[in-house]
Amino acid sequence: MSKHSLKAIIFSGLFLIPFIPFLVSSSFFFPFITTKAFAFRVIVEIVFGAWLILALLDKEYRPRKSPILFALLSFLVVIGIANLFGEAPVKSFWSNYERMEGYVALLHLGALFLVMGSVFRSIDWKRWWNTSLVASFLLVIYCSFQLAGVLTINQGGVRVDGTLGNASYLAVYLLFHIFVALIFFFRSGKNSGLKWLYGLLALLQLFILYHTATRGAILGLIGGLIIIAVLNLGSKADAKFRKVSVVGLIALVVLIGSFLLVKNSSFVRNSPVLERFASISTEELKSGGRSFVWPMALKGIKEKPLLGWGQDNFNYIFNKYYDPNMFRLEPWFDRAHNIFLDWAVAGGLLGLASYLSLYAVLLYIIWRKDQILSWTEKSMLTGLIAAYFFHNIFVFDNLVSYILFFALLAQIHSESKEQGSGLENSKRSDLEKPSIAIALPITAVLTVLVIYFVNISSLRTNLNLLKALVASQGVGGGTGESITLFEKAHGGARLGRPEVVEQIEARAPTILASNLPIETRNEFFRFASRAIVAQAETLPTDARYQLIAGTFYLTTGSLDEALKYLERAQELSPGKQAIRLERGIALIEKGEKQQALQVFKEAFLLAPENAEAGIFYLIGAIYAGDRKTEQELLFILSKDQISLDQRVLSAYVQNKRTAEAINMLYYIGQANPNYKAQADEYIRQLQKY
């Protein structure tokens, strides 16, 4: 294969990457994440294989030395070691479908950096970033249709998310491209038509960024612009740009001041976007998810300060240090929602230091004296880095933002003044023909094997899982096909297996209660039991999978097995009320009513504001015959909520408390006219007894 052909493969792949954000296929489980990630990985693997051969053929395309290269290699090595000695090494390597990160993603990003940094020259970078700007313009058009109501906002609400499925992911994508457009605006000639196209594109991106209502990205943009303006107030800056900077600073101060003056006005409060900024307060920070998970992350870092817990293992910290007052928030956090805390959790202080070194060496190379960039370009790149840094204080990265960040690292690396390569001692620029004849097929075979084991097998598992979920929603709630597909999905690739197990447990009650033949259902029960137990034993310190196993056995009537796993889950996450509630239900089912009441009481006292825990405590008191506790709870809890809760009604009926059940049914009929006839009929049936 000729150098020309190899370069054609490499460049074709690299110039497809800017269009990855548009890839979404409903055929995949977690379509907004997995579609993009699998496509990215396959492209990088093909490009990397072609580059290896090209680098063997010609040392011009071998990696160049630079502080960025060494910093990135150090980061990859530290995180690799942290994963190896972390809480769950296999999980850290593969991640899951919801995130598609893990060490495998870092290796692909590192490969992308090596290829781009080795083959791209200045003209190629200009073309690549312009291609990415074209892609961003297409995404702006798509988002405009979302705002107009022509296309659906995928995550619901009013915050546009484009084809990324998440407003925060879209925001950081736009944040990068606004600065890139501004840099090209500055570089374009004074009377160039392109100059105004870049300016217009930046304004359009700013408009869409505003409608993502992502506070971290918007505040990061403002902060980045302020840094650019301040840096250009000095004598080294271009005189015209210095004037623009003064005007810009004044405009930003006026804008911020004006907003603070009117933030309580009806105009601001009636705007979904502005209201999110106006609502920023100490109280909001105290009640938000980050106020809980950030302290948890710090506890986890303190527990394992050197190399941390490994990638994708924040959930272990979350389970261990769970705060019961989080009951209003999502039940399972897998990130600290702060990229710096996330890397400190994943790789300890060494991991965080190696990650921060990427920013440090990036700024060092941008600002050192022998850099060919103008002062204004340096300030703009610094503003971009600062904006991205600030945004990441409040979120975590995703594939698209990682691609843009690693591309920036690769560009500054490739355009740095360091000379030579890691293989610069080679006396020949070309290998001899016999060596090429051996290297070419070996590289091709390895590339195909990597594509298969990293992607194809995982893709097949992903597709089978989604097909199984669709089939399980068929007539009767279960089909033989859904069982077969679940078995195929579970027996496939390691990536996604935990999510397969979760879906098996979630669908098991429906399938087991379906009209399938009893032999088929028994076989499914045996398969589901093996799969769920295997996952619980593979991750024995993960409370989530102990809870899943306990819940599965609870719903299928295997109470001793259920209690074994639920007790283990409670040990691993003592603050999580939901686990105690499941354990209390199992104890009631087993007939140990007094012990169940004690468990419900413990759950309730962890966070008395949690009405759900209060309801179960009341149910426990009814089953245990503790009238005193029952009356106390009836006084504390909301009458409407208690009177309309079918579980409380069932508890009264099961314990032959007919009068109380009739009173509840009467209340339900009065509160819900649509159910009055049904409630009256039930009352008549109860009165017969």
Side-chain angles (χ1 to χ4, degrees):
M1 185 175 287
S2 67
K3 295 180 187 179
H4 178 75
S5 299
L6 291 168
K7 288 183 67 176
I9 293 172
I10 294 168
F11 276 73
S12 296
L14 293 179
F15 277 84
L16 283 174
I17 285 176
F19 298 98
I20 282 176
F22 294 96
L23 299 180
V24 182
S25 173
S26 58
S27 298
F28 294 129
F29 189 63
F30 282 110
F32 290 97
I33 303 297
T34 55
T35 314
K36 297 174 179 62
F38 281 125
F40 171 73
R41 292 179 185 185
V42 171
I43 290 172
V44 168
E45 286 155 13
I46 293 171
V47 163
F48 187 74
W51 170 75
L52 280 177
I53 299 171
L54 182 63
L56 290 173
L57 286 170
D58 191 340
K59 69 178 183 181
E60 180 186 351
Y61 298 104
R62 295 170 193 170
R64 294 171 176 80
K65 294 178 181 178
S66 83
I68 292 180
L69 175 63
F70 297 133
L72 181 56
L73 290 176
S74 298
F75 174 60
L76 292 175
V77 169
V78 170
I79 297 302
I81 295 171
N83 288 337
L84 186 62
F85 293 99
E87 195 72 22
V90 174
K91 181 184 175 188
S92 294
F93 184 83
W94 287 111
S95 186
N96 57 24
Y97 289 137
E98 184 178 4
R99 301 300 180 197
M100 290 293 286
E101 292 185 14
Y103 199 59
V104 66
L106 274 189
L107 290 176
H108 282 77
L109 289 164
L112 176 69
F113 169 90
L114 284 175
V115 176
M116 297 181 89
S118 301
V119 303
F120 272 5
R121 303 298 178 253
S122 294
I123 185 62
D124 302 316
W125 282 114
K126 181 178 179 181
R127 290 167 179 166
W128 191 87
W129 283 112
N130 273 297
T131 301
S132 195
L133 286 172
V134 170
S136 74
F137 173 67
L138 297 175
L139 193 53
V140 164
I141 294 174
Y142 184 95
C143 294
S144 300
F145 281 118
Q146 284 187 320
L147 286 174
V150 177
L151 295 173
T152 303
I153 295 176
N154 303 291
Q155 66 181 20
V158 297
R159 299 176 63 192
V160 293
D161 55 8
T163 53
L164 296 172
N166 185 299
S168 296
Y169 293 174
L170 174 62
V172 68
Y173 173 84
L174 293 169
L175 184 67
F176 259 98
H177 285 91
I178 287 171
F179 281 97
V180 172
L182 289 176
I183 290 170
F184 278 107
F185 174 83
F186 172 79
R187 287 180 177 177
S188 301
K190 184 176 180 181
N191 298 316
S192 170
L194 278 176
K195 186 182 189 74
W196 302 110
L197 284 177
Y198 288 127
L200 177 61
L201 177 57
L203 290 175
L204 291 173
Q205 291 168 337
L206 177 61
F207 174 75
I208 300 300
L209 175 62
Y210 169 81
H211 284 283
T212 66
T214 303
R215 294 175 291 191
I218 294 173
L219 292 175
L221 173 65
I222 293 172
L225 293 175
I226 290 174
I227 285 175
I228 292 173
V230 170
L231 288 173
N232 281 281
L233 292 178
S235 58
K236 293 184 179 180
D238 179 87
K240 292 182 179 179
F241 206 80
R242 195 182 310 132
K243 294 178 182 178
V244 172
S245 297
V246 172
V247 174
L249 275 176
I250 294 172
L252 287 171
V253 170
V254 171
L255 177 65
I256 295 169
S258 300
F259 177 77
L260 293 175
L261 288 173
V262 302
K263 73 173 187 174
N264 295 318
S265 66
S266 59
F267 170 75
V268 171
R269 294 298 176 185
N270 291 331
S271 167
V273 178
L274 294 177
E275 197 277 332
R276 278 179 56 81
F277 287 89
S279 65
I280 296 176
S281 65
T282 304
E283 288 304 312
E284 189 207 15
L285 293 175
K286 288 180 180 178
S287 61
R290 292 173 182 83
S291 66
F292 292 104
V293 296
W294 287 2
M296 289 181 195
L298 292 173
K299 289 178 182 177
I301 296 164
K302 185 178 179 181
E303 186 175 341
K304 295 187 177 183
L306 191 61
L307 285 171
W309 298 69
Q311 284 178 271
D312 279 74
N313 287 330
F314 176 76
N315 62 300
Y316 289 99
I317 296 171
F318 178 79
N319 293 336
K320 186 173 184 177
Y321 298 109
Y322 180 82
D323 187 331
N325 293 303
M326 291 185 71
F327 65 88
R328 296 185 182 88
L329 304 170
E330 62 181 276
W332 302 102
F333 276 78
D334 65 347
R335 295 290 188 276
H337 289 259
N338 175 307
I339 196 65
F340 309 107
L341 288 176
D342 278 325
W343 282 119
V345 166
L349 296 179
L350 286 178
L352 176 61
S354 62
Y355 175 70
L356 290 175
S357 72
L358 297 176
Y359 292 88
V361 296
L362 190 58
L363 290 171
Y364 163 72
I365 292 179
I366 288 171
W367 283 98
R368 67 185 185 181
K369 292 180 180 179
D370 60 359
Q371 184 57 261
I372 60 174
L373 296 170
S374 70
W375 182 277
T376 303
E377 288 173 322
K378 291 179 179 181
S379 69
M380 287 184 168
L381 286 170
T382 303
L384 166 57
I385 295 165
Y388 175 61
F389 187 97
F390 184 85
H391 169 79
N392 275 342
I393 293 174
F394 302 98
V395 293
F396 47 87
D397 265 310
N398 66 91
L399 174 63
V400 173
S401 60
Y402 272 131
I403 289 172
L404 295 171
F405 182 51
F406 274 69
L408 178 62
L409 288 169
Q411 180 178 3
I412 301 303
H413 155 74
S414 70
E415 294 182 346
S416 68
K417 288 294 184 178
E418 302 289 344
Q419 298 296 323
S421 73
L423 302 177
E424 61 185 342
N425 292 326
S426 300
K427 295 181 179 180
R428 289 177 172 269
S429 62
D430 297 329
L431 293 181
E432 296 178 358
K433 288 185 178 181
S435 300
I436 291 299
I438 297 173
L440 184 58
I442 290 176
T443 304
V445 169
L446 288 176
T447 300
V448 170
L449 289 174
V450 170
I451 290 173
Y452 177 79
F453 287 108
V454 173
N455 302 290
I456 304 303
S457 58
S458 298
L459 266 171
R460 189 180 296 123
T461 297
N462 187 289
L463 293 170
N464 284 331
L465 173 57
L466 189 60
K467 289 177 182 177
L469 295 177
V470 172
S472 68
Q473 296 171 354
V475 178
T479 66
E481 183 189 11
S482 69
I483 295 173
T484 301
L485 288 166
F486 272 127
E487 290 174 346
K488 286 182 177 180
H490 184 264
R494 179 60 183 81
L495 171 60
R497 185 169 296 167
E499 287 151 311
V500 173
V501 168
E502 289 178 30
Q503 295 305 321
I504 290 171
E505 186 274 330
R507 295 298 190 276
T510 303
I511 294 175
L512 292 172
S514 69
N515 55 6
L516 288 170
I518 186 66
E519 296 83 2
T520 303
R521 284 181 281 159
N522 285 339
E523 184 60 34
F524 173 75
F525 172 78
R526 287 190 288 271
F527 155 69
S529 179
R530 289 194 303 270
I532 291 169
V533 168
Q535 188 61 38
E537 306 227 342
T538 299
L539 299 174
T541 57
D542 192 330
R544 183 169 185 170
Y545 295 103
Q546 308 307 310
L547 175 60
I548 284 173
T551 303
F552 170 75
Y553 282 119
L554 174 59
T555 57
T556 54
S558 302
L559 299 178
D560 289 332
E561 286 296 301
L563 285 167
K564 180 179 75 173
Y565 286 104
L566 291 172
E567 286 166 5
R568 177 60 177 152
Q570 184 176 315
E571 291 174 7
L572 294 168
S573 187
K576 202 162 187 62
Q577 289 171 295
I579 296 174
R580 294 177 187 266
L581 297 182
E582 290 290 314
R583 184 169 164 236
I585 294 169
L587 288 167
I588 285 179
E589 293 288 330
K590 197 176 178 184
E592 298 178 5
K593 299 176 182 179
Q594 291 299 328
Q595 191 176 347
L597 176 61
Q598 181 60 32
V599 172
F600 286 137
K601 179 181 179 180
E602 292 169 359
F604 175 73
L605 293 177
L606 286 172
E609 298 82 7
N610 187 346
E612 183 75 358
I615 291 292
F616 275 102
Y617 189 15
L618 173 61
I619 291 170
I622 294 170
Y623 273 95
D626 189 337
R627 296 293 183 102
K628 180 181 178 182
T629 299
E630 179 185 339
Q631 291 302 315
E632 289 174 352
L633 289 167
L634 288 171
F635 178 77
I636 294 171
L637 299 172
S638 163
K639 179 182 177 182
D640 287 341
Q641 187 171 24
I642 296 169
S643 301
L644 297 175
D645 197 296
Q646 296 291 328
R647 295 166 298 181
V648 177
L649 173 62
S650 177
Y652 279 129
V653 172
Q654 292 292 325
N655 288 277
K656 298 182 173 29
R657 302 277 296 278
T658 305
E660 288 85 352
I662 289 173
N663 286 336
M664 280 194 68
L665 286 165
Y666 177 78
Y667 190 88
I668 290 171
Q670 293 294 108
N672 299 285
N674 293 335
Y675 294 97
K676 189 175 189 309
Q678 186 178 350
D680 289 344
E681 176 60 27
Y682 201 178
I683 289 171
R684 283 192 291 272
Q685 292 178 16
L686 288 173
Q687 287 174 335
K688 292 179 182 179
Y689 301 97

CSV table of all heavy atoms in Angstrom, one decimal, residues 4 18 34 81 95 112 134 174 210 231 277 302 304 342 369 373 382 386 422 450 485 506 556 566 641 655 662 667:
chain,number,residue,atom,x,y,z
A,4,HIS,N,0.5,7.5,-0.3
A,4,HIS,CA,-0.7,8.3,-0.8
A,4,HIS,C,-2.0,7.6,-0.3
A,4,HIS,O,-2.9,8.3,0.2
A,4,HIS,CB,-0.7,8.4,-2.3
A,4,HIS,CG,-1.8,9.2,-2.8
A,4,HIS,ND1,-1.9,10.6,-2.7
A,4,HIS,CD2,-3.0,8.8,-3.4
A,4,HIS,CE1,-3.1,11.0,-3.2
A,4,HIS,NE2,-3.7,10.0,-3.7
A,18,PRO,N,-15.5,15.3,12.8
A,18,PRO,CA,-16.4,16.5,13.1
A,18,PRO,C,-17.9,16.2,12.9
A,18,PRO,O,-18.7,17.0,13.5
A,18,PRO,CB,-15.9,17.6,12.2
A,18,PRO,CG,-14.5,17.2,11.9
A,18,PRO,CD,-14.5,15.7,11.8
A,34,THR,N,-24.1,5.8,22.5
A,34,THR,CA,-23.4,4.6,21.9
A,34,THR,C,-23.2,4.8,20.4
A,34,THR,O,-22.2,4.3,19.9
A,34,THR,CB,-24.2,3.3,22.2
A,34,THR,OG1,-25.6,3.5,21.7
A,34,THR,CG2,-24.3,3.0,23.6
A,81,ILE,N,-2.7,2.7,35.6
A,81,ILE,CA,-2.3,2.0,36.9
A,81,ILE,C,-3.4,2.1,37.9
A,81,ILE,O,-3.7,1.2,38.6
A,81,ILE,CB,-1.0,2.6,37.4
A,81,ILE,CG1,0.2,2.4,36.5
A,81,ILE,CG2,-0.6,2.1,38.8
A,81,ILE,CD1,1.5,3.1,36.8
A,95,SER,N,-16.2,0.6,31.0
A,95,SER,CA,-17.3,1.6,31.3
A,95,SER,C,-18.7,0.9,31.1
A,95,SER,O,-18.8,-0.3,31.3
A,95,SER,CB,-17.2,2.9,30.5
A,95,SER,OG,-18.1,3.8,30.9
A,112,LEU,N,-6.0,9.1,18.8
A,112,LEU,CA,-6.4,10.2,18.0
A,112,LEU,C,-5.4,11.3,18.1
A,112,LEU,O,-5.0,11.9,17.1
A,112,LEU,CB,-7.8,10.7,18.4
A,112,LEU,CG,-8.3,12.0,17.7
A,112,LEU,CD1,-8.6,11.7,16.2
A,112,LEU,CD2,-9.5,12.6,18.4
A,134,VAL,N,-18.3,24.1,10.0
A,134,VAL,CA,-19.4,23.8,9.1
A,134,VAL,C,-20.4,22.8,9.8
A,134,VAL,O,-21.6,23.0,9.8
A,134,VAL,CB,-18.9,23.2,7.8
A,134,VAL,CG1,-20.1,22.6,7.0
A,134,VAL,CG2,-18.1,24.2,7.0
A,174,LEU,N,-20.7,24.0,21.7
A,174,LEU,CA,-20.8,25.3,21.2
A,174,LEU,C,-19.8,26.2,21.8
A,174,LEU,O,-19.3,27.1,21.1
A,174,LEU,CB,-22.2,25.8,21.5
A,174,LEU,CG,-23.4,25.1,20.8
A,174,LEU,CD1,-24.7,25.6,21.3
A,174,LEU,CD2,-23.4,25.4,19.3
A,210,TYR,N,-27.2,30.2,24.5
A,210,TYR,CA,-28.1,30.8,25.5
A,210,TYR,C,-29.3,29.9,25.7
A,210,TYR,O,-29.8,29.7,26.9
A,210,TYR,CB,-28.5,32.2,24.9
A,210,TYR,CG,-29.7,32.8,25.7
A,210,TYR,CD1,-29.4,33.5,26.9
A,210,TYR,CD2,-31.0,32.7,25.2
A,210,TYR,CE1,-30.5,34.1,27.6
A,210,TYR,CE2,-32.0,33.3,25.9
A,210,TYR,CZ,-31.8,34.0,27.1
A,210,TYR,OH,-32.8,34.5,27.8
A,231,LEU,N,-6.1,40.4,29.0
A,231,LEU,CA,-4.8,40.1,28.5
A,231,LEU,C,-4.5,41.0,27.3
A,231,LEU,O,-3.3,41.3,27.1
A,231,LEU,CB,-4.8,38.6,27.9
A,231,LEU,CG,-4.8,37.5,29.0
A,231,LEU,CD1,-4.9,36.2,28.3
A,231,LEU,CD2,-3.5,37.6,29.8
A,277,PHE,N,-30.5,31.5,35.8
A,277,PHE,CA,-29.4,32.3,36.3
A,277,PHE,C,-29.8,33.1,37.5
A,277,PHE,O,-29.1,33.3,38.5
A,277,PHE,CB,-28.9,33.2,35.2
A,277,PHE,CG,-28.1,32.5,34.2
A,277,PHE,CD1,-28.7,32.0,33.1
A,277,PHE,CD2,-26.7,32.3,34.3
A,277,PHE,CE1,-28.0,31.3,32.1
A,277,PHE,CE2,-26.0,31.6,33.4
A,277,PHE,CZ,-26.6,31.1,32.2
A,302,LYS,N,-10.0,11.3,50.1
A,302,LYS,CA,-9.3,11.2,51.4
A,302,LYS,C,-9.0,9.8,51.7
A,302,LYS,O,-8.0,9.4,52.3
A,302,LYS,CB,-10.1,11.9,52.5
A,302,LYS,CG,-9.3,12.0,53.8
A,302,LYS,CD,-10.2,12.7,54.8
A,302,LYS,CE,-9.5,12.8,56.2
A,302,LYS,NZ,-10.3,13.5,57.2
A,304,LYS,N,-8.7,7.2,49.5
A,304,LYS,CA,-7.7,6.6,48.6
A,304,LYS,C,-7.0,7.8,47.9
A,304,LYS,O,-7.3,8.1,46.7
A,304,LYS,CB,-8.4,5.7,47.6
A,304,LYS,CG,-9.0,4.4,48.3
A,304,LYS,CD,-9.5,3.5,47.2
A,304,LYS,CE,-10.0,2.2,47.8
A,304,LYS,NZ,-10.4,1.2,46.8
A,342,ASP,N,-13.8,14.3,39.6
A,342,ASP,CA,-13.9,13.0,39.0
A,342,ASP,C,-12.6,12.3,38.7
A,342,ASP,O,-12.4,11.1,38.9
A,342,ASP,CB,-14.7,13.1,37.7
A,342,ASP,CG,-16.2,13.1,37.9
A,342,ASP,OD1,-16.7,12.5,38.8
A,342,ASP,OD2,-16.9,13.9,37.2
A,369,LYS,N,8.1,32.1,24.4
A,369,LYS,CA,8.5,33.2,23.5
A,369,LYS,C,8.7,32.7,22.1
A,369,LYS,O,8.5,33.5,21.2
A,369,LYS,CB,9.9,33.8,24.1
A,369,LYS,CG,9.7,34.5,25.4
A,369,LYS,CD,11.0,35.1,25.8
A,369,LYS,CE,10.9,35.9,27.1
A,369,LYS,NZ,12.2,36.4,27.6
A,373,LEU,N,2.5,32.2,17.4
A,373,LEU,CA,1.2,32.8,17.5
A,373,LEU,C,1.3,34.3,17.9
A,373,LEU,O,2.2,34.7,18.6
A,373,LEU,CB,0.3,32.1,18.6
A,373,LEU,CG,0.0,30.7,18.3
A,373,LEU,CD1,-0.6,30.0,19.5
A,373,LEU,CD2,-1.0,30.6,17.1
A,382,THR,N,-6.2,31.1,25.3
A,382,THR,CA,-6.2,31.1,26.8
A,382,THR,C,-7.6,31.3,27.2
A,382,THR,O,-8.1,30.6,28.2
A,382,THR,CB,-5.3,32.2,27.3
A,382,THR,OG1,-4.0,32.1,26.8
A,382,THR,CG2,-5.3,32.2,28.8
A,386,ALA,N,-9.7,28.7,29.5
A,386,ALA,CA,-10.3,29.1,30.8
A,386,ALA,C,-11.8,28.8,30.8
A,386,ALA,O,-12.3,28.4,31.8
A,386,ALA,CB,-10.0,30.6,31.0
A,422,GLY,N,10.1,10.4,18.3
A,422,GLY,CA,10.5,9.3,19.2
A,422,GLY,C,11.4,8.3,18.5
A,422,GLY,O,12.0,7.5,19.1
A,450,VAL,N,-9.0,-5.8,16.7
A,450,VAL,CA,-9.4,-4.7,17.7
A,450,VAL,C,-10.8,-4.2,17.4
A,450,VAL,O,-11.7,-4.1,18.3
A,450,VAL,CB,-8.4,-3.6,17.6
A,450,VAL,CG1,-9.0,-2.4,18.4
A,450,VAL,CG2,-7.1,-4.0,18.2
A,485,LEU,N,-33.3,-13.3,23.3
A,485,LEU,CA,-32.5,-12.1,23.0
A,485,LEU,C,-31.8,-11.7,24.3
A,485,LEU,O,-30.6,-11.2,24.3
A,485,LEU,CB,-33.4,-11.0,22.5
A,485,LEU,CG,-33.8,-11.1,21.0
A,485,LEU,CD1,-35.0,-10.2,20.7
A,485,LEU,CD2,-32.7,-10.9,20.1
A,506,ALA,N,-35.5,-5.9,35.7
A,506,ALA,CA,-36.7,-5.0,35.6
A,506,ALA,C,-37.8,-5.7,34.8
A,506,ALA,O,-39.0,-5.5,35.1
A,506,ALA,CB,-36.3,-3.7,34.9
A,556,THR,N,-39.8,-12.6,43.2
A,556,THR,CA,-40.1,-13.9,42.8
A,556,THR,C,-40.4,-14.9,44.0
A,556,THR,O,-40.5,-16.1,43.8
A,556,THR,CB,-38.9,-14.5,42.0
A,556,THR,OG1,-37.7,-14.4,42.7
A,556,THR,CG2,-38.8,-13.8,40.7
A,566,LEU,N,-30.2,-8.1,50.3
A,566,LEU,CA,-30.6,-6.8,50.8
A,566,LEU,C,-29.8,-6.4,52.0
A,566,LEU,O,-29.5,-5.2,52.2
A,566,LEU,CB,-32.1,-6.8,51.1
A,566,LEU,CG,-33.0,-6.9,49.8
A,566,LEU,CD1,-34.5,-7.1,50.3
A,566,LEU,CD2,-32.9,-5.7,49.0
A,641,GLN,N,-52.0,12.3,51.0
A,641,GLN,CA,-51.1,11.3,50.5
A,641,GLN,C,-51.4,9.9,51.1
A,641,GLN,O,-51.4,8.9,50.4
A,641,GLN,CB,-49.6,11.7,50.8
A,641,GLN,CG,-48.6,10.8,50.1
A,641,GLN,CD,-47.2,11.2,50.3
A,641,GLN,OE1,-46.9,12.0,51.2
A,641,GLN,NE2,-46.3,10.8,49.4
A,655,ASN,N,-54.8,-6.8,56.9
A,655,ASN,CA,-54.9,-6.9,58.3
A,655,ASN,C,-56.3,-6.8,58.9
A,655,ASN,O,-56.5,-6.6,60.1
A,655,ASN,CB,-53.9,-5.9,59.0
A,655,ASN,CG,-52.5,-6.2,58.8
A,655,ASN,OD1,-51.9,-7.0,59.5
A,655,ASN,ND2,-51.9,-5.6,57.7
A,662,ILE,N,-62.5,1.1,54.5
A,662,ILE,CA,-63.7,1.7,53.9
A,662,ILE,C,-63.6,3.2,53.9
A,662,ILE,O,-63.9,3.9,53.0
A,662,ILE,CB,-65.0,1.3,54.7
A,662,ILE,CG1,-65.3,-0.2,54.4
A,662,ILE,CG2,-66.2,2.1,54.4
A,662,ILE,CD1,-66.4,-0.8,55.2
A,667,TYR,N,-62.8,8.2,50.8
A,667,TYR,CA,-62.0,9.4,50.5
A,667,TYR,C,-61.5,9.3,49.0
A,667,TYR,O,-61.5,10.4,48.3
A,667,TYR,CB,-60.8,9.5,51.4
A,667,TYR,CG,-60.1,10.8,51.4
A,667,TYR,CD1,-60.5,11.9,52.2
A,667,TYR,CD2,-59.0,11.0,50.6
A,667,TYR,CE1,-59.8,13.1,52.1
A,667,TYR,CE2,-58.3,12.2,50.5
A,667,TYR,CZ,-58.7,13.2,51.3
A,667,TYR,OH,-58.1,14.4,51.2
